[in-house]
Amino acid sequence: MRSVELFAGAGGLALGIAHAGFNHEAVVEWNNASCNTIRANQQRGIHPVDHWPLFETDVRTFDYSAIAPNLDLLAGGPPCQPFSLAGKHAGPSDARDMFPEAVRAVRELQPRAFLFENVKGLLRESFAQYFEYIYLQLSYPEIVRRGGEQWMDHLLRLEQHHTQGRQAGLLYRVLFSQLNAADYGVPQRRERVILVGFRYDLGFNWAFPRPTHSYDALLYSQWVSEAYWERHEVSLGARPQLSAKLQKRVDHLRALAFPPLDQPWRTVRDAIADLPDPTLNGVAGNVSNHRFNPGARIYSGHTGSVLDEPAKTLKAGDHGVPGGENMLAFSDGQPRYFTVRESARLQTFPDDYAFSGSWTESMRQLGNAVPVTLGQILATSIRNRLEMG
């Protein structure tokens, strides 16, 4: 199936979509360092990146006329900074808001389906009207904002059209949901807003894939069956202490007739246990991007991730100390930064996928990425629906 990827970054979502069986006819990204990462993997012959048509350009200038009609999937993660909890919260006033370009791409390409990702801050109350605006633009992409028209006035026209109930022209059935990547087997608590649309004339119904992993299943495997500790060969004395609150939850799980049906959330230990210790001589064996970076410290708002839970959300480090939250917090209170390879594991990139640039730049790329596994699960569900016809 044919796809186009916008705002590709270092390629997380694009990789997931490719692993789901889509062939990218254009991969568009303006950031040179991110493009260098993709190009470096192409030069190394890493599949499926090796045959991506990469366009290093501003999406606002990209010409879609060369893309053949009846595209199957348009996807991408418009820049999140206008809506991020860590940003300036400027939303539609932020020049980095690229949702208008996502809508233009939908209008010009008319794909059978689209998939867009953004931070959970997009759903905060202060952005409620603008989120409705995004939603209605994606539903009715041919109702274009007029020259000089304010977005609030354009929203009013979209609302009026929507309430008329007309089903003419280019129209999409749009669903959105806030998903936690940990619920889908990613070893990271990463909550993101996902928007999926199917062209109305196809007559498709669709629903977001059901979560497959849960915290209760992790607690059960750690403190009831103890299979987690046995698998990792962690002795009784080396296991963390349960809080009183968690002990009550474990007691409830122990009293169940059957264990949780979901798979356990994957933890930091699950993701990185087989990697060598990067603190030994600064470089850990021959593992790419696995160099120790000193100087980690815990401070307000940046306490790191514990070993036996999914990691906290990896961040791009555009504000404050770069990678300030991207740390492993040991039980003795000492932190260390995740290596680039460890962070790539937490974002479910394959080990043969290398990142270009400094630690800070690589961590920025990883903090902005969509977990490959989550992208693959969503794209597989979309592809299955498209193939059903």
Side-chain angles (χ1 to χ4, degrees):
M1 287 197 164
R2 302 167 52 239
S3 56
V4 166
E5 175 83 11
L6 306 179
F7 321 108
L13 181 58
L15 269 175
I17 290 172
H19 290 162
F22 288 89
N23 295 309
H24 296 309
E25 297 193 356
V27 174
V28 185
E29 171 57 40
W30 73 273
N31 180 263
N32 178 254
S34 296
C35 289
N36 285 342
T37 287
I38 294 175
R39 280 190 287 260
N41 285 285
Q42 289 178 326
Q43 292 166 4
R44 294 170 55 239
I46 301 302
H47 182 77
V49 189
D50 52 354
H51 64 274
W52 286 357
L54 176 63
F55 295 86
E56 183 179 341
T57 187
D58 190 328
V59 72
R60 290 171 290 192
T61 66
F62 192 74
D63 181 3
Y64 298 105
S65 62
I67 307 296
N70 207 30
L71 185 74
D72 293 300
L73 179 64
L74 170 68
C80 63
Q81 289 85 355
F83 312 101
S84 172
L85 295 174
K88 297 180 180 179
H89 317 159
S93 301
D94 196 313
R96 295 170 295 182
D97 175 24
M98 289 292 122
F99 270 106
E101 286 303 313
V103 174
R104 178 176 77 90
V106 171
R107 180 170 58 252
E108 296 188 13
L109 291 171
Q110 302 187 16
R112 295 208 290 160
F114 61 73
L115 164 62
F116 294 121
E117 174 267 357
N118 213 273
V119 291
K120 67 177 183 179
L122 185 61
L123 294 182
R124 75 174 75 175
E125 186 176 354
S126 59
F127 290 140
Q129 265 196 316
Y130 194 67
F131 181 76
E132 180 193 8
Y133 182 47
I134 292 169
Y135 179 89
L136 289 177
Q137 284 184 98
L138 290 171
S139 300
Y140 307 101
E142 289 184 325
I143 302 180
V144 180
R145 186 171 173 177
R146 296 165 181 162
E149 185 178 33
Q150 298 297 310
W151 74 265
M152 291 285 289
D153 295 324
H154 188 204
L155 171 60
L156 179 62
R157 286 199 297 117
L158 286 163
E159 289 174 335
Q160 290 170 342
H161 181 86
H162 182 66
T163 55
Q164 287 173 352
R166 296 178 182 174
Q167 309 300 341
L170 183 62
L171 172 65
Y172 284 84
R173 290 174 168 170
V174 183
L175 288 177
F176 69 91
S177 185
Q178 181 175 310
L179 304 183
N180 185 347
D183 293 338
Y184 295 89
V186 176
Q188 181 186 172
R189 291 187 182 97
R190 192 176 187 88
E191 294 181 289
R192 288 297 186 266
V193 176
I194 308 295
L195 291 129
V196 174
F198 286 87
R199 217 170 57 212
Y200 188 84
D201 62 289
L202 300 175
F204 290 166
N205 56 2
W206 182 83
F208 280 95
R210 188 188 71 82
T212 53
H213 295 64
S214 73
Y215 185 35
D216 277 352
L218 173 61
L219 290 176
Y220 190 95
S221 72
Q222 290 176 328
W223 305 107
V224 181
S225 73
E226 301 188 0
Y228 175 88
W229 307 116
E230 292 169 3
R231 183 173 73 253
H232 287 295
E233 300 181 347
V234 178
S235 66
L236 187 63
R239 300 172 191 178
Q241 295 295 312
L242 273 177
S243 67
K245 182 179 179 180
L246 273 184
Q247 185 64 60
K248 288 183 179 179
R249 193 166 181 176
V250 169
D251 290 342
H252 171 74
L253 291 170
R254 185 175 284 114
L256 296 176
F258 301 97
L261 297 179
D262 294 326
Q263 298 178 62
W265 270 0
R266 296 187 64 231
T267 69
V268 174
R269 191 190 296 269
D270 286 329
I272 70 172
D274 63 329
L275 290 172
D277 184 349
T279 64
L280 302 177
N281 301 320
V283 180
N286 296 318
V287 181
S288 68
N289 296 135
H290 194 43
R291 182 179 293 273
F292 173 63
N293 188 54
R297 63 184 179 86
I298 288 176
Y299 57 99
S300 178
H302 297 276
T303 55
S305 299
V306 299
L307 192 59
D308 294 306
E309 294 181 10
K312 296 180 179 180
T313 303
L314 294 185
K315 298 177 182 178
D318 290 333
H319 305 275
V321 177
E325 185 57 44
N326 302 345
M327 300 181 298
L328 176 59
F330 291 103
S331 57
D332 63 0
Q334 295 300 311
R336 73 161 171 82
Y337 284 125
F338 287 121
T339 69
V340 171
R341 180 51 50 201
E342 288 170 333
S343 298
R345 288 273 187 98
L346 298 175
Q347 287 283 51
T348 61
F349 279 87
D351 281 351
D352 61 359
Y353 198 85
F355 289 82
S356 298
S358 66
W359 179 87
T360 299
E361 172 54 40
S362 296
M363 294 299 282
R364 185 196 66 79
Q365 294 176 33
L366 282 160
N368 282 328
V370 176
V372 178
T373 294
L374 182 61
Q376 182 175 354
I377 289 170
L378 291 167
T380 298
S381 179
I382 292 170
R383 179 183 177 178
N384 289 342
R385 189 62 189 90
L386 291 173
E387 287 182 336
M388 288 172 60

